[in-house]
Amino acid sequence: MKVIKTKKKNFTIRFAEKSDVALILHFIRELADYENLLDEVVATEGVLMESLFNRRAAEVIIGEYDGNSVGFALFFHNFSTFLGKPGLYLEDLYIKPEMRGRGYGRILLSFLADLALKRDCGRLEWWCLDWNKPSIDFYKGIGAVPMEDWTVYRMTDKALEDLAGEF
């Protein structure tokens, strides 16, 4: 396991391994609980193992303080037709509540920004819930710009099946 040292004393980052699946699911559930969306989590360890480590549909980094896991970021590549190059899309960023305010979330984002540049990505993007003012303030404070002219659309379950059934 490769551990990446950061400028913050005793805080390291590493890419998740198969043995981290239970921890990743735990962090996903904690994040969902914070977002009042816990009832929407249907992921299982098996699904995460298949998606993250067999299909490699996304990647995960784990932030550790003194060797203890305190947060994670799950991300994957997307593609900008306008730029003609890939981007990194951050699906989840989570730091345990008792560890917030220490700069660990910023370090994870900084690592992802560096990774995006190293992978010749043109963007690092993510969504944020409209009511999450602490996160919005944080993101704006690091130079992120909200995409206010865009609306996110989503299809799941029956609507997705119905549209696919037309093919």
Side-chain angles (χ1 to χ4, degrees), residues 121-132:
C121 295
R123 297 177 177 159
L124 172 59
E125 300 176 301
W126 61 90
W127 298 351
C128 182
L129 292 168
D130 291 340
W131 58 261
N132 194 343

Side-chain angles (χ1 to χ4, degrees), residues 35-165:
E35 294 177 338
N36 299 312
L37 298 169
L38 186 56
D39 60 326
E40 293 186 27
V41 176
V42 297
T44 64
E45 289 182 26
V47 166
L48 291 176
M49 181 67 76
E50 176 64 24
S51 296
L52 298 176
F53 298 103
N54 295 340
R55 292 182 38 221
R56 300 196 180 277
E59 298 173 74
V60 175
I61 55 173
I62 308 285
E64 296 183 331
Y65 177 74
D66 277 342
N68 297 308
S69 300
V70 299
F72 86 120
L74 186 147
F75 61 97
F76 54 88
H77 283 274
N78 58 13
F79 190 84
S80 168
T81 56
F82 287 12
L83 296 177
K85 54 175 41 181
L88 281 187
Y89 181 80
L90 173 62
E91 178 67 24
D92 287 332
L93 173 67
Y94 178 75
I95 301 293
K96 288 182 173 187
E98 65 273 17
M99 301 305 284
R100 293 180 189 156
R102 300 178 188 200
Y104 302 148
R106 185 182 185 107
I107 293 170
L108 291 179
L109 279 172
S110 176
F111 176 83
L112 291 176
D114 183 64
L115 186 64
L117 292 175
K118 286 177 178 171
R119 292 182 179 183
D120 194 31
C121 295
R123 297 177 177 159
L124 172 59
E125 300 176 301
W126 61 90
W127 298 351
C128 182
L129 292 168
D130 291 340
W131 58 261
N132 194 343
K133 184 164 174 27
S135 292
I136 291 168
D137 292 344
F138 169 70
Y139 296 143
K140 287 181 177 179
I142 63 170
V145 178
M147 302 297 295
E148 295 177 7
D149 293 337
W150 296 84
T151 301
V152 176
Y153 290 88
R154 176 180 291 167
M155 292 188 87
T156 61
D157 304 324
K158 183 158 175 29
L160 183 62
E161 292 170 10
D162 288 349
L163 184 59

